[in-house]
Amino acid sequence: MDRKRKCVTLAIAALFVALIVLPTHVQAIPKWNTRNVDIHGNACPLKDRKGLECPQLCVKAFEDCPPNVPTPTCSDNETLCDDGTCQTSCEGVKNPCHCGLDSSKFAIKYVACPAYKGTVEVKALDVTKKDDQVALSCGQKFGILPGNATIDSAEFDSIPTWSEDATTVAAAAADKVWLRCPKAENHSLSFTEPIFLTFYIVIGAEFGILLLWHLYKTFFERGVAKVRQLCYQQNPSLPQQDSPGQNGDGDGDGDGNGSAAPPLLLRGYRRDYFGFFAFNSVILVTIGWLVLIAVIVADHYGVVTGVKNGIFTTHLNSAKVMIVVWVMMALWIAFLELARSRLVSYFRIECDPKVAQWIQVREHIDELVMMQEKSRFLAYIRKFNLWFRQFIGFDKTVTTAPVTKASSISGKDCSQTVDLRYFEYHCTRYIQDPEDKKYKIKPVDLGTTNLQLASQRSGLNSEEAQSRMNQIGENYIRVYVPSFPRAVLDEFTHYTYLYQLVALWVWFYFDYYQMGAVQIVVIIISALLRTVVRLSSENKIKSLAERSTMCYVRRNGKWSEIDTKHLVPGDVIAITRDMELMCDGILLSGEIIVDESSLTGEAMPVRKFAIRRDNNVYDKRLSGKSCTMFSGTYVLQCISDNTPPMSDIDGETKRSAWKEKASTPSSNGGGDGDDNNSINEKDEMVGILEHGEEPSNTLLITATRTGTDKGQMIQRILFPAHYSFVFNEHLRISYFAIAAWGIIALGLSVWLLGAGIDSLYYGLFVMTEILSPLLPASLVIGQSVTAARLRRMKIFCIDLPRIMMAGKIRIFCFDKTGTLTKEGLEFFGLQNIKKSESGEARFDTDRIEMNDASDLLQMGLSSCHAVTSVGGQFVGNPVDVEQFRATGWELAGKNGYKIDDSSDYTILDTFVKPDTNRAVNVVKRFEFAHARQSMSVATLDPVTKHVHVFVKGSFERIKRVSDKASVPNDYDSVAAKWAKEGCYVLALAHKDLGEISDWQALEDMDRDTFESGCSLISLIMFRNQLKDDTTDALTELKRGDIRPVMITGDNALTGVYIAKQCGMVPEGTRVILGDIKKSTSEDKEALQLPMIEWRDTTTNEVVYDIDTLLAAQNNSRSSNSVNKIDKAAVVDGRETSDFAIELAVTAAAFDHLVETEKIRDYLLDIRIFARMTPKGKVEVVELFMEKGVTAMCGDGGNDCGALRAAHVGLALSEAEASIVSPFSTPIRTIFSCVNLVRHGRCALTTSFTGFKFIIMYGETMAWLQLFSFYFSVVITPATWIFIDSFVTVGMTLALSLAKPAKKLASSRPTAKLLGPQLLSSIIGQVLINFVFLVGMMGIMFRQPWYRCNEFDSRGINLAFWFLLGDNYEAEIIETFLLYQMINAAGTFNFGHKYRESWWRNYVFVFVFVAYFVFVSVMVLTNPNRLNCLFRINCGDPDVLVDLGYPRPSWHITEYNSPIGNNVLPRNFRWLLWGYALANAAAVYGYEYFVVLGPVGQWMKRLWQSKFGNKKLQLKL
């Protein structure tokens, strides 16, 4: 494969050289143009020419000089020298009459008459006889030739032209001769000159070094491929556990960092001095290329020797050398850029990784294409791109890391010390296994059960800690941020800048240094700005990652203060208030209130409890979540286990004690709790360090560095996944097509200008204009502008490409609680369950308030939660907080007293009812788990000494775990009734354990046993109110052709109620709910084979044939016979539909559909997904992503996994944006979703607009140059600078400033660079412009004043391009194409569907009008300073006076034109201007009516009717 890769590389290089060199051998001359013929076909009369300079006159003696050029009179100390000037010394003064030849060979010596400072006029100048006619006129002017002499007369021959023969044979007869030195012989290079010999030696030596190194390397690396290693990025034996930052409660599917990731290929390398020498030779040669080409350019300007082209003697020789060196340098730099990541390793010797000094890590790149287009053509392109990337090795990332040595302790008794070798990749340490010598991630095994983990309270000794430090690395992620100079260097070595800089060498060489200097300034400014932004971003990441603080750790049985950098898994640290955790760990003792918003986005603090001492398997995703603390979170409060006892005193005394300890109660009834619950950390730490006391809150560290959830998040930021948008695929094809057209234009340039090296340079100009370096920037600038606008709207983005994806959103998924509805829930009431006289369980008739609840029910409601208090505010689950607040009870805090004198078990919480003697103590608690949808507590009644168990959760879950006899027959219908009314319905069950003497048995009781056998006692209802703007926002999204979907953890009927209330489900729509059929004991088949039962949520009737209903609905929609679903009417701000059907499913039904692989059949008909776990939310989003661009909006709590999985995730959260999702906003309104879509569509449209404009810029410049080459003219330098510096840059920036439309359009903008809309826009405008340009030139050829004033470039050196613009041809071409370029930007500014109307882009309108007026002034006005600066409608001062214009007061460089001006007749100026307006009207009309307007829509409908509509059809 390596040999094939090298052969293909050489073939590509040879092809590139051939495409550059072969056009120089094309022998062709421009055709279709006969000069100096008038419109009737008659030959044009010859014209007089003024202002011509006389040649030097050489005479035998100064006395022979004519009176008009008298010999100067020299002063006493001066001598008249042979050049006709007075000098103090004639030594070194060259006689021009010798023409630089050896005068000793001349028989007659001539001296030069003083130069004539005036000019002459030649009558009827014939360019083919120009020299003789000028000599004749000068002779007559000097009085040495008669007035009637002609160039054919004998008198004219009496003064011959200088020649070597004139110095010998004709010397006696010729006293005077005209100095016309013979053309210097073209000193062709022999290529054996010293500079070439030096070049051959250097290049030959370099290739010799590289060849010898390759042979040397190949010899020492034979057989090394067999010892390369594969290494997994995570130990496959480890359980995959997710963080709250991934999915809220741990039920997510991870981030792809597990064992499923492809293995790493490890290749070892060692240092070699020969390789070091060869590598440095490559660096020196690279510098040498740059120095050499700089010398060639400098020599072209005469900087090196003081004479232009002094080194290579002639311009032709210099140009040939330049082109060869330029091509070789470009290939050399391109090769180094492609091989950059592998270059250093190539100059080392590959060896066995076991003994290597460096490890090269190769990781396979899986590029995810967002919105992948299903096209056969693109499929072939995709396959070719994949093959080519694999062929050249670009399907892998290559990173080289040094190997470091350390020592570690091993053995069962930890008495053995072994040497370790490791390297670090992506901030993770890979250790060489002492046994098999392979590199692996070595996890620390702390145990798997709660008891094993809880027993590790003694910490580590110093040796164990150091060993683990060597094994894992310090607890500190170092982020490398380069210095500013290094960052600038890195920026300039990017291939985009390298391409620009290589191209600019041609510009500088070919006398286009003015524009080259401007481009250099633009490039430098762009690079500096990008560098500043990059360093700012990387410094933010660095500040986020490189964090450490001091903490107290138990080492060697003692507590000491160390830096958190030195913590390792297995350490035990003390937790203090206001502490930022730098590691993940398990709480061993005490209780902690933490702020996890930096990981989950959830602003509500979370309560953490000590790990249970049981044999259950620890899993931080489920039961272990309540005792797990995460790096990056902050400790708000530490709750001690040592508050005064309250379990054995009556309620009144208990309340008094609590009130004495508590701070001033807050308005909500909760105490501050800081004084009695918080620990005095300062006093405690003094006790720990001085007296060996134990801290109240300790943490067992389980993970550090990238093993933590925050570390993995940092890792994802530093090393993001590779993905591309659909237009990235189109962009590659576009570049290829543009490059191919550039090569064709190169050939056309050579053909039009004729064979020659100068023609090749002009062709290269055309190529660099067509394949503009601004193309990539044009796609990015719109994203940057939109990101700044979103930032001003408090919508933050950390992934710019996602902005354009927001413009293609088709499906928008929403969490319900806190997203569609308001943050908090309002307690609505209770519905008790009582036993009738017959023992049957029944509901009370009416809903009751909290005050009417029984004593037992109030005890359960006041204790069955995990609410605590921080700073006077209740902390916990919002539902729990509202429930506890509604009870009116007060939080007495954590007392830590023993349950009784014979027990070691303490009370967890105490709650008291004000103004009564009632109190309750919580002795055991199982926190809420999403997987179980329930929580439970055991409470001790201090009055009766009975222990009561209360279980609270979803009404479906509580029904399943409760005693069947306690469940009313109408339980489901009553609960459904409340859910239909928009209530969040929970249920509460209870059982009385009586007095307990064996507290250990209660402590050891598992959760299933603990929660079983309870009796239902009540339903608990909460109301969740819609946000004020939810309905309007969803209506706007529907108008924008976006389908909103609800994914909620709430009950399905509640979700249906909210969906109807907010207009997500249109009025009159029939909602059918799918759930797993409730089986009975008689239904044996149903018990064995779960089935989905579909029920109408309004009538509760069973729907037996859901497929038939959906098929009928979809057929009706697709036929458009009754289209009330896709585009339903909007009445009073909401959508209505007469017959539409929407589906809702529970989590159980969803899982069943997934298992049976039927979910995709129903997916687009399901509007509400209910009772979904965080993992389930991710699955739903991923399924929708298969259908179209999918967005997710949530509060960043238990939907973080879905937010990250979606194409576009928007977190309504105040947390750090980069942690939660690509987009985040602290403004908790879903109108942020509408704004994001509006701006995303605008960004997508403006990015494509900028791309189209840069394409049109290249095409316009190509036609400009090709037409100029046809006439052998070149536009003026001022026009070049105006186009490249002002028009292109100014228009591109102004186009990007278009503002988004106020309302969402009913369609989405295209994302296809090769789509019909974009191609028709560009191709159509190119053709229209070409036709008008040809027509304009045809009109010009019909003008009588032009046909006999055509520009004749014969005899002019094409290298001096700046002399070829003083004519009508160049003037008309450049002005007309200037209008076309400005018009292109104007047409592309159309598109009010996704942007505001074109005239509302005020910056663009100003720039457009300014440029149009600017060009019009030059075209329409008489000669003035501006015109003459651009060499348009101007001329030589004398000529302008002759034409009737006043003599200019400003300097005008003499015109290089026989007629001395290019002033257009006034009538023709208006004709040109009117024709440009007609061209503008044509392209504007084409874009507005054909591409974007009714014609384009008609053609689209015609195409769809013929070939079908492939667009995804959705019910909105």
Side-chain angles (χ1 to χ4, degrees), residues 1250-1303:
F1251 181 82
K1252 290 196 295 183
F1253 177 69
I1254 296 300
I1255 292 291
M1256 278 302 302
Y1257 155 78
E1259 298 307 308
T1260 305
M1261 294 301 292
W1263 288 124
L1264 183 150
Q1265 301 225 42
L1266 291 175
F1267 270 78
S1268 299
F1269 296 163
Y1270 176 78
F1271 292 104
S1272 296
V1273 300
V1274 177
I1275 63 175
T1276 61
T1279 304
W1280 278 108
I1281 294 174
F1282 177 65
I1283 291 174
D1284 286 344
S1285 299
F1286 294 95
V1287 176
T1288 308
V1289 177
M1291 287 296 193
T1292 303
L1293 290 174
L1295 282 171
S1296 69
L1297 298 178
K1299 296 179 181 178
K1302 299 293 185 182
K1303 298 290 184 180

Side-chain angles (χ1 to χ4, degrees), residues 1314-1359:
L1314 300 178
Q1317 187 180 87
L1318 187 141
L1319 290 178
S1320 62
S1321 178
I1322 293 177
I1323 295 174
Q1325 190 165 160
V1326 168
L1327 293 177
I1328 292 172
N1329 286 342
F1330 178 77
V1331 170
F1332 270 88
L1333 179 59
V1334 172
M1336 187 68 246
M1337 303 313 293
I1339 293 174
M1340 179 186 71
F1341 269 93
R1342 294 190 184 96
Q1343 305 304 312
W1345 51 265
Y1346 165 74
R1347 290 304 301 270
C1348 290
N1349 292 304
E1350 295 180 58
F1351 179 69
D1352 191 346
S1353 62
R1354 285 174 291 179
I1356 295 177
N1357 190 344
L1358 290 179

